[in-house]
Amino acid sequence: VSPQVNDAQSTVSVEFTPTIPHCSMATLIGLSIKVKLLRSLPERFKLDVHITPGTHASEHAVNKQLADKERVAAALENSHLLEVVNQCLSARS
Amino acid sequence: FCLENTDPRMRGRGIQLLSHVLLQCYSLLQEKEVLHLVLFYESRLQDNHLVIPSVLQGLRALSMCEVLSPGLAVSVLKAIFQEVHVQSLLQLDRHTVYSIITNFMSTREEELKGLGANFTFGFIQVMDGEKDPRNLLVAFQIVHDLIAKDYALGPFVEELFEVTSCYFPVDFTPPPNDPHGIQREDLILSLRAVLASTTQFAEFLLPLLIEKLDSELQSAKLDSLQTLTACCAIYGQKELQEFLPSLWSSLRREVFQTASEKIETECLAALRALSACLSRSVLSSDSEDLLDSFLSSILQDCRHHLCEPDMKLVWPSAKLLQAAAGASLRTYHRITHSVLPLLLEQHTKHTQSSQRRTILEMLLGFLELQQKWGHVEEDESPLLSHQAPVCSVVFSALLDPSVQLQLVGIKALTVLGSLQGFLSSSNLELVVDHLIRLALHEEDSQSSEAAMEAAGSLAPTYPKVFSGHMVPRLEEELQSGRAGKGESYHKRHSLQQRCLQALAAVSTHTSIVKETVPILLQHLQKVQKGTEAKNTQDVISVCQSLHRVALQCQQDAEGCWYFHQTVMPCLLAMAVQAAMPESSHTLPGKALLEEEVLAAMIPVISAATTHLSPELAAQSVSHVVPLFLDGDVSFLPQNSFPCSFQPFRDGEHLEAQRRLVALLMAFVCSLPRDVAIPQQEWLLRELLALSCSCNCPFTATTAAKCFAGLVNKHPAGQQLDEILQLAVNRMEPSLAEGPRRTQALTLLLWVTKALVLRYHPLSSCLTDKLLGLLGDMELGPATADGFSLLMAESPDVLHKGCHADVRIMFRQRFFTDNVPKLVQGFHGAGPDVKANYLKGLSHVLNHLPKPVLVTELPTLLSLLLEALSCSDHVVQLSTLSCLHPLLLEAPQIMSLHVDTLVTKFLNLTSSPTMAVRIAALRCAHALTSLPTTVLLPYKGRVIRALAKPLDDKKRLVRKEAVAARGEW
């Protein structure tokens, strides 16, 4: 995962690399990163979470999903999916 | 006639009455009466089932009679076994049956044994199918007694085993609010005691254990492993023989695969117990050595894993081997014999430092085991034959650039050193060289510290080598560091610091202390002559080293006395010299008289004094007190001072001398309580005067502390009362008005603390005075802060370490006595001083143990909530830190106030003070431990409000905000 933060322009861009090109969890990982950032960053920041170019088979599709605000919001309305994401984010105790 | 009534209910009640009477008066009965009653009750057993419970009660009463004639016990039990179908009775009545059996077993052991196996069989029938945990506890106890007291089990061993083992593993959760308080643990332990009590169960128990070990259930695994360990205490190789291979394979599988640390620990414990058990059993000549074959199978399965230090299974295998090796000397020899060469070989094969570290850590584990078996035996030990390669492996680790590897190497060195006779003298010198190099020149502070530790722990074993080699080298470095040879100042300085630390660290043996202390003192004398600011720092670091030495030789009477005798006069002489009026025009430049330096000397003197024996302390006190009172300098070295030393005399130029009261305080306040102080009354009066009249806050505070320290230890009586009266008289006018109100307040605070600690009756009067001062415009805030002084542990005087009279629970007592008054004062106070009361209260609460705080909470909560809206940030902070544990521990009560809490916390997150913001966010985080239903209405609001601190300009605040918001 490699983040780039621009405080002055209030943008955060995160690149992450899935374990294998066919990683089925890529969307979930991206979504989790996005949710964590949404919760932890001030509202002024614009988020951009995407896959490191050339590391995933359906890179473009996943990036598109992650960039789509509507789809992210809809995903978080889904209580089952939200629970999965929360599980991903819960601190290891 | 009730007893002959045709209605069984009526008969039952009659018998019940009789039984109750008997239960009250069984000890008064005569032998004949007992005989009669027993016969009657036995016949009643055949009666209607409604009557039986009362009959059993009666029999229980009779079973407690001492005059029961022989033979009756047996007949009662026979009757019960025959006539009563125990399992159809209620829990209470079954319990009665068990009590009868227990009573008889404790008093009529011989008779019952006469019954032979019939008794066992009868009991098995009684117990069969028991379900209630209360009864099971008793029943397990009976079975345990049956086995332990050697009752004849006859052909019923298997039945007895079946009837008990069916409960294994215990799976019982006590119902909520269970009044009987039987825990799962109780049942597990008593069942284990039964199962592990005899070797006769072995053939049935071991298969059961293996089966449960292979099950999926965590608790079952744990329980079987612990039971196995318990069994190994009595089993021999005959019992184990048949099952060893499968036991080993189960254990191996668990250790290799399990994710749970607990199971792993238990497996290793079981393996150790097994090997210990095998090595204990005596060998008969014809049977093969089971231990040998068992260990070979372990070795065979684990060896090849050791060759791959990157793989996952290295550590489990090493642990298994170490567990087996830790069982007995024999297993240790057998295993190290084969493993050590292997590890050494692997070390040469692998060159990466991470792999070498793993190998060395394993080696270390085996070396530590050797420590457990004591000294190395002459020719037997496999370790001795590999001495040279082991040493070279360890030394190469010390030279490696990797810090982690160095650390392990140092640890291994410590272990090697502690094995008597393992290191040859040339090796030892090498060791010392390595340690010096690491301690002084290693960049990384971690390994340098570890090297010093190692030197400290090895020094008592080889005092000669260390004092002959290490100490001179360090001294040399210390001096050359001062001389400076063109290196940068900073580098020289840090080298000097390291030298001082190392000198202190290595002083763990009296003979070494005698060499290092003069070096340190000499160094101190040279350093204090300079006038630059950095000298202060240097003097302080010498003092810290001296303090460390003092702590290390406290336990050793000779070293302690030597230290005291050498250091005390020297320090005092230097200080007195520095405080002479001639030199007083350069006062600010005098490094020795700086407050920080004096503060650093206090622990040195204090540590050198606390562990003195009373006689020696008395000897010393007879020198020091006259020094301060009469200016008697005769015991100090180089005692030709140009001017007299009179710290208690008036006069402007004596300001410097008065500061040395700090050293007097360090000494007299650390003396054991039974050492009498000469001219104590005079000393107390002088201190009192000084503390009230001196303008310098440092001197006044120290004098007050010294006075308080002495008052705390002063034996109760008229003298003490007089002194206290004097103090009060002196304080009152200066407290009321005048330029020295602060000094008077300091004195009052310290005296109050001294008296509160020892529960002196006057203490309540003084605290009332303090409470009154809270309402004072000028002194109020200082008084409020003083409450934290009262409740906190002070570092230099008035604590347990310096023999102060500290009663247990003085904080609780202070709390119950004074908090109502504080609350009352708060309500009656004017608006501008209210904050003082709240501050005082929150200081008291802050130092109170948490359990007490939680119980006292409801009464104070509203006040605390009010304190949150107080504008003083100290109050806010201490209130928040009070509320934080409460939120976590008493969520029920707190959830009643959730509305106020949420509002207040969120407001405080925008406080101008960073610490308050952090604390408020922590509390907001802690709010999430309240029940979800209470929190849901606030969720949106809190999350929105927490967005703001996310953009805080301080990183620490943002961190807390992220944690809190994430949790919400």
Side-chain angles (χ1 to χ4, degrees):
Chain A
V1 176
S2 65
Q4 280 174 347
V5 182
N6 187 333
D7 196 24
Q9 291 176 13
S10 298
T11 53
V12 173
S13 152
V14 178
E15 267 186 12
F16 70 98
T17 311
T19 39
I20 45 164
H22 294 283
C23 181
S24 58
M25 292 291 191
T27 332
L28 181 64
I29 297 170
L31 186 62
S32 301
I33 295 176
K34 191 138 190 168
V35 170
K36 181 73 186 172
L37 289 175
L38 276 175
R39 286 176 186 173
S40 315
L41 286 175
E43 284 162 41
R44 64 191 167 89
F45 280 99
K46 176 169 169 42
L47 300 176
D48 175 30
V49 176
H50 55 92
I51 294 179
T52 316
T55 57
H56 198 266
S58 45
E59 180 189 329
H60 188 63
V62 175
N63 282 346
K64 205 169 167 186
Q65 271 191 23
L66 288 173
D68 191 337
K69 276 184 204 153
E70 297 285 321
R71 292 197 67 170
V72 171
L76 296 183
E77 304 265 304
N78 179 340
S79 65
H80 171 69
L81 197 53
L82 187 62
E83 203 173 306
V84 175
V85 170
N86 277 339
Q87 230 167 46
C88 293
L89 294 182
S90 67
R92 265 167 285 150
S93 50
Chain B
F1 58 85
C2 244
L3 299 176
E4 290 165 11
N5 199 308
T6 45
D7 181 8
R9 265 173 248 271
M10 284 304 283
R11 282 205 307 278
R13 278 163 77 181
I15 295 175
Q16 194 179 10
L17 177 67
L18 180 62
S19 302
H20 275 292
V21 171
L22 284 178
L23 274 175
Q24 295 298 322
C25 66
Y26 60 85
S27 55
L28 307 174
L29 295 175
Q30 304 288 325
E31 193 175 335
K32 269 200 180 150
E33 294 164 347
V34 176
L35 177 70
H36 195 69
L37 283 166
V38 166
L39 289 177
F40 166 71
Y41 271 115
E42 271 178 20
S43 65
R44 287 296 92 193
L45 278 175
Q46 294 159 347
D47 203 341
N48 190 295
H49 66 97
L50 285 172
V51 185
I52 299 286
S54 315
V55 175
L56 288 174
Q57 284 294 336
L59 283 173
R60 185 164 77 91
L62 293 173
S63 73
M64 288 187 279
C65 281
E66 281 171 26
V67 289
L68 199 66
S69 48
L72 281 183
V74 174
S75 81
V76 168
L77 283 180
K78 265 187 181 157
I80 291 178
F81 290 155
Q82 253 171 30
E83 308 291 347
V84 187
H85 185 238
V86 179
Q87 288 319 314
S88 59
L89 297 174
L90 290 175
Q91 181 269 333
L92 192 66
D93 305 320
R94 296 202 302 269
H95 193 268
T96 315
V97 176
Y98 293 122
S99 319
I100 296 171
I101 299 178
T102 318
N103 288 339
F104 282 142
M105 277 175 76
S106 60
T107 52
R108 321 267 149 185
E109 196 181 323
E110 287 310 312
E111 288 177 44
L112 297 195
K113 278 186 181 161
L115 265 176
N118 284 337
F119 175 59
T120 316
F121 181 65
F123 176 72
I124 290 171
Q125 277 184 326
V126 168
M127 189 185 161
D128 196 10
E130 179 61 61
K131 272 196 198 71
D132 192 277
R134 287 162 283 177
N135 291 350
L136 276 178
L137 272 186
V138 188
F140 287 153
Q141 186 56 44
I142 295 176
V143 181
H144 186 250
D145 286 348
L146 274 181
I147 296 166
K149 300 222 174 107
D150 218 13
Y151 283 82
L153 301 183
F156 302 112
V157 175
E158 192 169 356
E159 272 82 359
L160 192 60
F161 175 75
E162 287 298 328
V163 86
T164 46
S165 68
C166 61
Y167 302 102
F168 184 86
V170 175
D171 179 24
F172 165 69
T173 351
N177 44 40
D178 169 35
H180 311 290
I182 293 183
Q183 293 298 316
R184 213 180 135 202
E185 283 304 304
D186 302 335
L187 283 172
I188 291 181
L189 288 180
S190 55
L191 178 57
R192 184 172 308 148
V194 171
L195 293 179
S197 58
T198 172
T199 51
Q200 295 182 58
F201 283 165
E203 55 177 317
F204 315 111
L205 179 60
L206 287 172
L208 180 71
L209 289 179
I210 293 170
E211 183 197 319
K212 294 295 171 197
L213 200 54
D214 297 349
S215 79
E216 286 298 306
L217 219 60
Q218 278 259 350
S219 60
K221 283 183 187 178
L222 269 184
D223 203 1
S224 359
L225 286 168
Q226 284 163 350
T227 311
L228 179 61
T229 314
C231 290
C232 286
I234 57 158
Y235 285 4
Q237 63 178 2
K238 187 172 107 251
E239 286 81 19
L240 290 171
Q241 187 162 25
E242 204 178 321
F243 305 100
L244 272 179
S246 47
L247 276 174
W248 162 238
S249 72
S250 293
L251 286 174
R252 189 189 53 200
R253 193 198 56 229
E254 287 306 316
V255 173
F256 280 174
Q257 289 173 7
T258 186
S260 143
E261 221 167 284
K262 226 168 157 190
I263 289 191
E264 193 191 74
T265 330
E266 288 305 329
C267 279
L268 296 178
L271 180 61
R272 186 171 311 131
L274 269 179
S275 338
C277 169
L278 287 177
S279 38
R280 207 167 358 119
S281 25
V282 191
L283 292 178
S284 49
S285 53
D286 51 337
S287 72
E288 61 164 335
D289 188 353
L290 268 180
L291 177 67
D292 212 44
S293 56
F294 183 58
L295 291 180
S296 341
S297 67
I298 295 180
L299 279 171
Q300 194 196 339
D301 287 340
C302 291
R303 261 184 81 116
H304 59 275
H305 291 305
L306 294 184
C307 305
E308 292 149 8
D310 287 332
M311 303 304 277
K312 231 174 69 194
L313 290 180
V314 181
W315 273 111
S317 324
K319 281 181 185 164
L320 281 172
L321 285 171
Q322 282 165 8
S328 72
L329 194 57
R330 248 177 76 205
T331 56
Y332 178 73
H333 281 315
R334 176 84 172 76
I335 287 182
T336 41
H337 190 71
S338 117
V339 171
L340 265 187
L342 183 74
L343 283 178
L344 293 172
E345 185 192 314
Q346 289 303 314
H347 189 267
T348 45
K349 240 187 239 170
H350 296 274
T351 47
Q352 273 181 33
S353 64
S354 65
Q355 295 169 332
R356 287 197 158 184
R357 180 176 150 217
T358 316
I359 294 171
L360 193 58
E361 272 173 351
M362 290 191 276
L363 192 61
L364 179 64
F366 286 106
L367 292 179
E368 273 169 353
L369 287 174
Q370 170 80 57
Q371 218 174 0
K372 180 178 160 192
W373 298 122
H375 57 96
V376 186
E377 268 152 55
E378 279 67 49
D379 39 35
E380 242 185 298
S381 164
L383 196 56
L384 214 55
S385 53
H386 296 291
Q387 184 191 21
V390 167
C391 283
S392 76
V393 163
V394 173
F395 289 151
S396 79
L398 294 179
L399 287 168
D400 198 275
S402 149
V403 175
Q404 298 303 322
L405 190 52
Q406 279 177 10
L407 287 177
V408 184
I410 292 170
K411 244 191 252 167
L413 203 58
T414 320
V415 176
L416 283 183
S418 64
L419 299 175
Q420 285 283 347
F422 180 75
L423 291 174
S424 64
S425 58
S426 62
N427 268 334
L428 261 177
E429 280 168 28
L430 216 56
V431 166
V432 172
D433 284 344
H434 275 298
L435 286 178
I436 295 175
R437 184 181 54 76
L438 286 172
L440 296 184
H441 303 292
E442 177 54 44
E443 298 280 315
D444 188 89
S445 63
Q446 244 183 323
S447 18
S448 141
E449 263 163 43
M452 291 185 200
E453 285 294 321
S457 61
L458 289 182
T461 329
Y462 311 102
K464 283 221 180 86
V465 184
F466 275 87
S467 66
H469 275 79
M470 194 159 184
V471 176
R473 275 282 295 281
L474 289 174
E475 188 182 5
E476 202 179 302
E477 293 277 354
L478 192 63
Q479 273 157 4
S480 73
R482 201 170 41 239
K485 289 172 202 149
E487 291 169 75
S488 70
Y489 165 72
H490 183 73
K491 205 166 176 193
R492 266 188 295 137
H493 184 70
S494 73
L495 180 62
Q496 234 177 14
Q497 293 283 331
R498 288 270 182 92
C499 278
L500 289 175
Q501 284 169 14
L503 275 174
V506 81
S507 308
T508 44
H509 188 268
T510 316
S511 68
I512 303 178
V513 169
K514 285 184 180 166
E515 294 187 30
T516 55
V517 165
I519 297 176
L520 286 172
L521 288 176
Q522 208 182 359
H523 185 66
L524 181 64
Q525 249 168 358
K526 279 184 187 155
V527 170
Q528 59 109 357
K529 284 190 181 136
T531 48
E532 298 150 63
K534 70 176 171 63
N535 280 85
T536 318
Q537 212 43 54
D538 286 344
V539 176
I540 291 177
S541 47
V542 181
C543 287
Q544 281 164 350
S545 291
L546 281 172
H547 182 218
R548 183 161 175 189
V549 178
L551 289 179
Q552 280 162 354
C553 59
Q554 264 177 353
Q555 298 312 322
D556 165 46
E558 190 198 338
C560 186
W561 176 234
Y562 168 78
F563 186 87
H564 184 82
Q565 232 180 355
T566 330
V567 174
M568 272 280 293
C570 189
L571 282 183
L572 282 172
M574 274 190 255
V576 169
Q577 176 77 43
M580 280 299 133
E582 272 78 355
S583 52
S584 66
H585 54 275
T586 55
L587 175 66
K590 274 287 169 193
L592 267 183
L593 296 178
E594 298 279 330
E595 276 174 31
E596 303 116 62
V597 176
L598 287 177
M601 281 162 129
I602 289 172
V604 180
I605 296 186
S606 176
T609 310
T610 45
H611 282 68
L612 283 184
S613 69
E615 303 86 62
L616 295 174
Q619 192 182 334
S620 175
V621 80
S622 66
H623 291 308
V624 175
V625 173
L627 168 70
F628 278 83
L629 288 178
D630 313 317
D632 177 7
V633 293
S634 56
F635 85 103
L636 301 179
Q638 308 148 0
N639 54 1
S640 54
F641 299 114
C643 186
S644 60
F645 178 65
Q646 288 158 324
F648 291 119
R649 203 59 75 68
D650 274 338
E652 281 308 305
H653 60 286
L654 295 176
E655 189 60 31
Q657 297 193 353
R658 287 199 207 113
R659 292 174 152 246
L660 301 191
V661 172
L663 302 185
L664 175 70
M665 174 194 84
F667 176 68
V668 288
C669 292
S670 314
L671 287 171
R673 224 181 294 168
D674 46 0
V675 175
I677 296 168
Q679 297 163 300
Q680 192 170 19
E681 302 307 306
W682 184 18
L683 183 63
L684 282 170
R685 267 166 228 271
E686 293 287 5
L687 285 170
L688 189 59
L690 187 61
S691 69
C692 286
S693 64
C694 185
N695 283 323
C696 164
F698 176 75
T699 314
T701 311
T702 342
K705 275 165 137 179
C706 187
F707 182 75
L710 289 176
V711 162
N712 179 261
K713 288 182 204 168
H714 200 297
Q718 204 195 346
Q719 262 185 338
L720 179 64
D721 295 341
E722 272 170 25
I723 276 290
L724 286 174
Q725 198 51 50
L726 196 70
V728 172
N729 290 345
R730 194 87 204 221
M731 273 185 280
E732 258 173 4
S734 7
L735 269 180
E737 56 180 1
R740 302 221 166 86
R741 293 187 75 187
T742 345
Q743 276 93 324
L745 175 65
T746 316
L747 179 63
L748 175 63
L749 279 172
W750 281 104
V751 174
T752 315
K753 184 173 167 77
L755 297 184
V756 165
L757 288 181
R758 62 182 281 185
Y759 290 179
H760 192 275
L762 197 62
S763 67
S764 62
C765 160
L766 292 179
T767 37
D768 285 346
K769 212 165 272 172
L770 281 175
L771 290 171
L773 280 175
L774 280 176
D776 187 288
M777 292 294 278
E778 195 189 330
L779 291 181
T783 317
D785 286 333
F787 274 88
S788 80
L789 187 149
L790 286 183
M791 302 305 283
E793 186 102 320
S794 102
D796 40 10
V797 288
L798 291 175
H799 58 87
K800 278 258 168 67
C802 61
H803 310 288
D805 186 358
V806 182
R807 302 292 185 83
I808 49 165
M809 314 245 269
F810 77 91
R811 290 191 179 92
Q812 282 87 325
R813 196 173 141 131
F814 188 84
F815 173 82
T816 39
D817 285 354
N818 292 301
V819 163
K821 293 184 201 159
L822 267 174
V823 175
Q824 207 184 354
F826 170 79
H827 288 304
D832 32 357
V833 291
K834 270 197 178 200
N836 296 340
Y837 287 93
L838 283 179
K839 210 175 180 184
L841 178 66
S842 53
H843 279 312
V844 174
L845 292 182
N846 243 337
H847 291 288
L848 212 59
K850 271 183 204 149
V852 185
L853 197 57
V854 174
T855 53
E856 296 291 337
L857 172 78
T859 47
L860 293 169
L861 198 56
S862 59
L863 203 61
L864 284 175
L865 293 179
E866 203 161 329
L868 279 183
S869 25
C870 169
S871 61
D872 187 311
H873 64 84
V874 180
V875 178
Q876 289 171 349
L877 193 58
S878 56
T879 316
L880 285 173
S881 58
C882 262
L883 285 173
H884 188 253
L886 292 177
L887 282 168
L888 297 175
E889 279 159 38
Q892 301 306 330
I893 311 167
M894 298 304 271
S895 49
L896 300 176
H897 300 269
V898 68
D899 190 53
T900 342
L901 286 171
V902 168
T903 321
K904 296 263 162 83
F905 289 157
L906 294 183
N907 282 340
L908 286 176
T909 54
S910 48
S911 148
T913 323
M914 180 179 81
V916 173
R917 291 202 299 271
I918 293 178
L921 286 169
R922 269 195 201 142
C923 283
H925 188 181
L927 272 178
T928 52
S929 61
L930 302 189
T932 323
T933 44
V934 184
L935 295 176
L936 269 180
Y938 302 95
K939 184 177 154 193
R941 195 173 128 206
V942 174
I943 290 179
R944 250 173 287 130
L946 286 179
K948 212 178 132 229
L950 284 179
D951 211 4
D952 200 282
K953 55 181 187 300
K954 294 287 187 188
R955 171 188 278 269
L956 290 170
V957 179
R958 293 199 296 267
K959 209 169 110 195
E960 291 298 332
V962 167
R965 194 161 188 245
E967 202 62 37
W968 274 86

